[in-house]
Amino acid sequence: MKKRARAAAAGRVLRGAAARRSKRPPSPRRAASARLAARYRALVEQIPAITYIAALDEASTTLFVSPQIRLLGLTQEECRADPDFWRRHLHPDDRERVLQQLKRNCTGGRPFSTEYRMVAKDGGVVWIRDNAVVVGDRAGRPLFLQGVMFDITKDKKTEAELSDLQKRIEEELNEHRERLEETVLRRTIRLEEANRQLLEEIADRKRAEREIEAAGRFLSSVFASIQDGISVLDRSLRIVRVNPAIERWYAHAMPLVGRKCYAAYHGRSRRCAVCPTARTLANGKVAYEIVPRRGRGGIVTGWLGLYSFPLIDERTGGMTGVIEYVRDITDERFAAESLRESEGKYRALMEDAGDAILIADTDGNLIEANRKAEEMLGYSRGELAGMHLTRLQPPAARARAKTEFERIMRRGEGVAVDIPVARKDGAVIPVDISGSVVAYGGRKVLHASLRDISDRKQVEAMKDSLVRNVSHELKAPIAMMEMALAAGGRALAAGDAAAATDAWRIAERNLKTLGRDVRTILQSFALSARRPALRKARLSLRAAARGIIADLRPAIDERRLAVRVRIAPGADSICADRGLIHTLLFNILDNAVKFTRRGRIALSARAGPEWLVLTVRDTGRGIAAEHTGALFERFYKEDPGTRGTGLGLPICREIAALYGGEVAVASRGPGKGTTVTVRLPARLLGRKRR
């Protein structure tokens, strides 16, 4: 009740003050303040968020809400007619929590910040991030709550989709793990140990996901800290508001607000001759200009790229001022001047660039190209000279390319993403194009950088492949375990102990396969997401190889394979991460056993002055030459019907790379066996180099 009384008193004071002001003629100072307040309000109401003022009563009665309330399908008039609309539109599942938190924060005078759902007028659900503070009078007594609500529905939808995917995978694993616990875990200690290991792998995966999320938040914070300058001016070029970047650049001229822009920023007594803001005020269009940044005494300390945007009053449609977006381009400016002074150095930089670079005249006809452009497009520089830019696109993409070229030429710079480019041989590759209009050879030209994004496209394709492969490789052993357990149950009911034992063994083998596939998938992404800490320990290659061969013995005996291990003197004992070396050897030997139906497998190791060389040779089915280049791609399998995830060799390459080594695969062709060679630095042997 005290809060309601204070809010009512604050309202009476504000209404009384307004009534007294309306009875006496406004002074010039009050009129200027009113105009400034109106402009500030217009600025606030144009930001992409809902701003509001609410009373500090039990109902949190809404006193003001910005036009952005249309996000909920409501108008300001509807909100004014129903001051309790905010609480009524709170989602029922969130209402009690939000109201309690609001009450606690307002009671303590603390800022209010939370996320919740609101029900729009059409019944749709909108996620909101609400940030508000309690505003008090000069005596410190709280008057009302003032805040901003942001629409975070898309972010929540993305989080929900990711959460649903993770829950589905976890639910499937938990469901089948529970079935196994009810049957298999009561009968064998080995299966209990396997399930324990599976739970540890799932925990490792969750820890890895949390670490990736933390890294993403850190990166977002870094980007949020990089700010360009913002300056808001009224129609008379008087500064209304600036951001911290502007204040840092012009600290010597503070305070800035209330002064003319040309006086505060340039130390002039009249408007600048070249003024993009004046052009925007004159024609209502966006303008751009490069202007000097001046320090104390009018000394030029850098260069700024200044965009001026009209500030429009949404209610009247009239322009009330200008928003200046200012970017520090000092380095770019100096670079451009250096390029103009030395075309030779410019060409050298072009030749050394990692991207393809094309220079075209204002009509789009190519003038110059660098070596990378020749390699990317397959044309010589002589063939490219005089060719129109749109000729480099397939016919279906030329209209878009023409539009992007005209946009960049009109604005002076720009970026076009995912543009198809046709090589001379007809192959089409996707590129991102970054273009800018520069002075070159005494005239304006378009400088365009083309970056091949085929790898990025390949990564996107890998995501689809991950879903397909994970789904298939996890469901297959699970289905086999279900059938084996059902058969075992029937055998026990019939009193057939031998058949039941065979069924349990089948279930055990498939559980091991499931655990190995899950560990392989998690390890692959852990190695790619971050560089793991290497746990150094002294280990024997011979002992590790024999242990792996013992694990693979059932498959080796089934195929009647002869396996030989030959470790040269001085090559057995190494100092490395035991788990990673075991994974490397297991994947290579497992592939050799998997693809060799009859014959021999030989593992050898020898030490040289620079490298420790591990070699695994088999007499298996071999590899066709056209497939060897793709063996290290994730999820790639020469035969899609073959058991496995297609991650073994990529993981081996990642592990070798951690130590500065490499993995190579060679085959003389189908039916002629395969040789896998791993080279690791000789320093792993722990001996001193001569």
Side-chain angles (χ1 to χ4, degrees):
M1 293 301 293
K2 291 181 179 179
K3 293 180 180 179
R4 183 186 297 272
R6 284 198 296 270
R12 288 194 300 269
V13 171
L14 292 174
R15 288 193 297 271
R20 288 191 298 272
R21 287 195 299 271
S22 63
K23 293 178 181 180
R24 62 173 177 264
S27 67
R29 182 175 181 181
R30 290 195 185 92
S33 297
R35 289 195 298 275
L36 183 59
R39 295 190 188 99
Y40 178 76
R41 181 168 180 172
L43 175 63
V44 168
E45 293 182 349
Q46 292 184 47
I47 65 174
I50 302 172
T51 57
Y52 67 90
I53 298 175
L56 296 175
D57 53 17
E58 294 294 334
S60 189
T61 303
T62 301
L63 304 177
F64 166 78
V65 67
S66 66
Q68 288 83 346
I69 195 65
R70 59 178 174 272
L71 172 67
L72 300 177
L74 300 172
T75 65
Q76 289 179 291
E77 290 74 15
E78 290 174 321
C79 296
R80 283 195 291 269
D82 181 11
D84 194 34
F85 86 94
W86 176 73
R87 185 159 68 170
R88 290 197 310 99
H89 282 268
L90 279 174
H91 195 281
D93 294 342
D94 296 340
R95 182 177 293 122
E96 183 177 354
R97 172 182 63 83
V98 174
L99 291 176
Q100 288 181 356
Q101 182 178 349
L102 178 62
K103 182 178 180 180
R104 289 195 305 270
N105 288 37
C106 290
T107 301
R110 299 188 303 272
F112 172 68
S113 178
T114 188
E115 296 178 358
Y116 54 84
R117 292 164 289 179
M118 295 194 74
V119 180
K121 186 176 182 179
D122 60 4
V125 176
V126 179
W127 271 96
I128 295 294
R129 180 184 292 117
D130 195 339
N131 297 314
V133 295
V134 175
V135 178
D137 58 16
R138 293 182 178 179
R141 292 185 296 271
L143 293 178
F144 53 82
L145 188 71
Q146 182 173 16
V148 181
M149 296 190 293
F150 298 91
D151 181 3
I152 60 171
T153 305
K154 292 183 178 178
D155 295 340
K156 288 294 183 179
K157 182 178 179 182
T158 301
E159 292 176 4
E161 291 174 351
L162 293 175
S163 177
D164 289 344
L165 176 60
Q166 180 178 348
K167 288 180 181 178
R168 287 198 297 272
I169 294 175
E170 292 176 354
E171 287 172 358
E172 288 188 14
L173 291 175
N174 290 334
E175 179 183 352
H176 294 292
R177 186 172 61 251
E178 290 172 358
R179 293 179 184 175
L180 292 174
E181 289 173 350
E182 292 174 358
T183 55
V184 180
L185 292 181
R186 289 194 301 267
R187 293 167 175 82
T188 172
I189 297 177
R190 294 182 63 186
L191 289 181
E192 181 179 355
E193 178 63 19
N195 273 334
R196 185 187 64 79
Q197 293 176 357
L198 180 60
L199 291 173
E200 289 177 355
E201 293 294 341
I202 293 174
D204 289 340
R205 177 180 179 179
K206 291 181 178 179
R207 283 194 295 271
E209 289 175 349
R210 288 195 295 269
E211 291 173 359
I212 293 173
E213 290 174 357
R217 289 193 298 270
F218 173 76
L219 186 59
S220 298
S221 298
V222 172
F223 285 150
S225 300
I226 302 173
Q227 300 182 5
D228 292 328
I230 301 293
S231 178
V232 181
L233 311 180
D234 63 15
R235 293 188 64 90
S236 66
L237 300 181
R238 193 177 302 278
I239 301 172
V240 176
R241 192 178 183 88
V242 296
N243 73 335
I246 293 290
E247 292 177 342
R248 289 195 304 271
W249 292 344
Y250 294 98
H252 62 281
M254 293 290 288
L256 300 173
V257 174
R259 301 173 61 190
K260 298 286 188 177
C261 63
Y262 49 80
Y265 298 147
H266 301 286
R268 296 172 58 91
S269 58
R270 62 180 63 184
R271 195 183 76 186
C272 303
V274 179
C275 180
T277 301
R279 294 204 301 271
T280 298
L281 289 171
N283 57 28
K285 297 180 180 180
V286 177
Y288 174 79
E289 196 68 56
I290 296 175
V291 299
R293 189 179 83 193
R294 300 184 182 276
R296 192 179 302 275
I299 300 174
V300 176
T301 59
W303 295 91
L304 304 172
L306 191 154
Y307 288 91
S308 58
F309 299 91
L311 178 60
I312 304 299
D313 187 329
E314 190 177 56
R315 294 174 301 175
T316 64
M319 182 167 54
T320 60
V322 171
I323 299 175
E324 293 182 335
Y325 169 75
V326 189
R327 187 166 60 91
D328 188 342
I329 60 169
T330 303
D331 294 340
E332 299 173 17
R333 178 81 173 189
F334 289 158
E337 291 176 356
S338 298
L339 289 174
R340 285 195 296 269
E341 293 173 359
S342 175
E343 290 187 6
K345 184 183 295 185
Y346 180 71
R347 289 193 178 93
L349 291 173
M350 281 181 57
E351 288 303 305
D352 293 337
D355 294 334
I357 296 178
L358 299 175
I359 296 178
D361 61 22
T362 54
D363 294 325
N365 299 311
L366 293 176
I367 302 171
E368 191 92 41
N370 69 345
R371 174 179 50 80
K372 194 69 176 181
E374 290 182 304
E375 296 174 0
M376 176 186 288
L377 303 174
Y379 291 99
S380 67
R381 302 185 198 203
E383 291 172 320
L384 290 170
M387 183 184 297
H388 197 273
L389 278 172
T390 55
R391 288 272 310 280
L392 296 175
Q393 280 75 42
R398 289 177 181 172
R400 181 192 171 193
K402 183 174 182 293
T403 301
E404 295 288 355
F405 167 73
E406 292 173 348
R407 178 178 63 83
I408 293 173
M409 292 300 299
R410 182 173 61 254
R411 295 185 177 181
E413 61 181 357
V415 176
V417 298
D418 199 2
I419 301 294
V421 173
R423 287 175 45 86
K424 183 178 180 180
D425 59 11
V428 177
I429 55 176
V431 300
D432 283 349
I433 301 176
S434 175
S436 59
V437 178
V438 300
Y440 178 78
R443 56 175 172 169
K444 285 188 176 181
V445 298
L446 173 66
H447 173 104
S449 297
L450 285 67
R451 176 164 295 179
D452 188 345
I453 59 171
S454 300
D455 291 342
R456 189 179 76 196
K457 292 278 192 177
Q458 185 178 9
V459 170
E460 294 171 355
M462 283 172 58
K463 294 178 182 177
D464 297 334
S465 178
L466 168 63
V467 174
R468 292 194 302 270
N469 281 277
V470 168
S471 175
H472 173 74
E473 295 302 332
L474 295 184
K475 288 181 179 179
I478 289 173
M480 289 297 295
M481 284 189 288
E482 289 178 341
M483 291 188 292
L485 292 174
R490 291 193 297 270
L492 285 177
D496 189 346
T501 300
D502 291 341
W504 305 143
R505 288 174 179 170
I506 292 173
E508 181 181 7
R509 286 198 303 271
N510 281 277
L511 180 61
K512 287 183 178 180
T513 300
L514 177 63
R516 184 171 61 250
D517 288 346
V518 171
R519 286 192 297 272
T520 298
I521 293 168
L522 292 177
Q523 188 172 42
S524 173
F525 282 90
L527 288 171
S528 299
R530 56 186 173 85
R531 181 183 180 92
L534 300 178
R535 301 179 180 89
K536 294 183 180 180
R538 180 64 61 178
L539 63 106
S540 167
L541 291 177
R542 181 179 287 104
R546 288 177 177 172
I548 293 169
I549 292 170
D551 292 339
L552 298 174
R553 179 56 62 186
I556 292 173
D557 293 344
E558 179 185 352
R559 292 167 170 77
R560 300 178 183 178
L561 301 176
V563 181
R564 183 183 66 186
V565 177
R566 179 174 294 175
I567 308 297
D572 179 49
S573 178
I574 67 172
C575 186
D577 189 299
R578 188 182 302 274
L580 292 180
I581 296 300
H582 181 277
T583 299
L584 184 147
L585 291 175
F586 180 88
N587 285 334
I588 296 175
L589 288 171
D590 182 54
N591 278 347
V593 172
K594 187 189 310 179
F595 297 112
T596 305
R597 301 300 302 176
R598 292 286 187 275
R600 300 179 305 278
I601 298 174
L603 183 149
S604 64
R606 58 183 176 83
E610 299 290 338
W611 299 99
L612 168 64
V613 182
L614 306 175
T615 305
V616 177
R617 293 186 175 89
D618 64 59
T619 58
R621 70 186 191 188
I623 305 168
E626 61 269 20
H627 294 292
T628 56
L631 292 177
F632 292 101
E633 296 178 4
R634 285 186 181 177
F635 308 112
Y636 175 80
K637 293 191 287 188
E638 183 180 5
D639 180 4
T642 304
R643 177 185 64 81
T645 61
L647 291 172
L649 283 176
I651 288 177
C652 291
R653 182 177 61 177
E654 294 278 0
I655 293 173
L658 288 175
Y659 290 101
E662 60 187 13
V663 180
V665 179
S667 176
R668 290 182 294 173
K672 297 183 179 180
T674 302
T675 299
V676 179
T677 303
V678 180
R679 297 206 315 163
L680 298 173
R683 67 174 183 273
L684 299 185
L685 296 169
R687 67 191 185 192
K688 295 183 178 180
R689 293 175 55 185
R690 296 180 180 178

